[in-house]
C-alpha cells in the first residue's frame, strides 16, 4: 500500500546524501589553507562534532528505551511523566559519562 508520508520520509532521508558532497567541498577548501594551526583546529572541531553527534544519538536511543519500556529507567527515576527536555538531558548525561568512562551513573 502506497503511503504519501512514507514517501516524504524516504525523500527526507535522501537529503543526507548531501553530507557526502559537503565532505568533498570541505576537503577541497582545506587544501587551500596553509596554516597548520588552522588545519588542526578544524580537525579538532570535526572530532568534537562527531563526539557530540554520537552522544546525541545514544541519548535519543536511551531516552526512547526509558520511555517505551514499562519497567524502563523513567519509572525507576520515579517520574513516569518526566518532561521530555529533562529526560533528554538525563539521557545525554548518561551517554556522555558512559562514553567517557569517567564515572558511574545509576538510575534513581
Amino acid at each position: 500500500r502506497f503511503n504519501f508520508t512514507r514517501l516524504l520520509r524516504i525523500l527526507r532521508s535522501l537529503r543526507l546524501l548531501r553530507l557526502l558532497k559537503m565532505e568533498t567541498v570541505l576537503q577541497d577548501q582545506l587544501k587551500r589553507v596553509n596554516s597548520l594551526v588552522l588545519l588542526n583546529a578544524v580537525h579538532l572541531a570535526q572530532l568534537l562534532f562527531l563526539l557530540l553527534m554520537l552522544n546525541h544519538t545514544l541519548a535519543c536511543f536511551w531516552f526512547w528505551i526509558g520511555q517505551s519500556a514499562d519497567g524502563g529507567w523513567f519509572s525507576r527515576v520515579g517520574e513516569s511523566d518526566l518532561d521530555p527536555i529533562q529526560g533528554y538531558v538525563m539521557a545525554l548525561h548518561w551517554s556522555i559519562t558512559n562514553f567517557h568512562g569517567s564515572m558511574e551513573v545509576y538510575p534513581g
Side-chain angles (χ1 to χ4, degrees):
R1 179 180 147 173
F2 179 73
N3 190 352
F4 184 70
T5 57
R6 187 174 187 176
L7 176 67
L8 286 177
R9 286 183 190 165
I10 291 171
L11 291 176
R12 192 172 32 172
S13 65
L14 288 176
R15 290 186 348 193
L16 291 174
L17 293 175
R18 290 188 294 177
L19 290 175
L20 297 174
K21 183 180 178 184
M22 186 176 132
E23 178 68 26
T24 58
V25 169
L26 181 64
Q27 292 299 326
D28 290 341
Q29 293 301 320
L30 286 176
K31 288 178 186 175
R32 302 170 120 187
V33 176
N34 291 329
S35 171
L36 187 60
V37 173
L38 185 59
L39 286 174
N40 287 334
V42 168
H43 184 66
L44 181 63
Q46 285 177 331
L47 289 174
L48 285 174
F49 181 74
L50 178 67
L51 180 71
L52 287 175
M53 287 296 101
L54 179 63
N55 280 305
H56 168 72
T57 304
L58 290 173
C60 288
F61 186 66
W62 186 244
F63 180 79
W64 175 75
I65 288 174
Q67 210 174 26
S68 65
D70 289 334
W73 63 271
F74 268 29
S75 62
R76 286 189 169 178
V77 169
E79 301 179 27
S80 59
D81 57 340
L82 191 67
D83 182 34
I85 294 174
Q86 288 176 328
Y88 171 76
V89 169
M90 289 173 66
L92 185 63
H93 177 260
W94 174 86
S95 172
I96 290 172
T97 54
N98 279 313
F99 188 82
H100 187 268
S102 63
M103 59 191 275
E104 294 183 24
V105 179
Y106 298 106

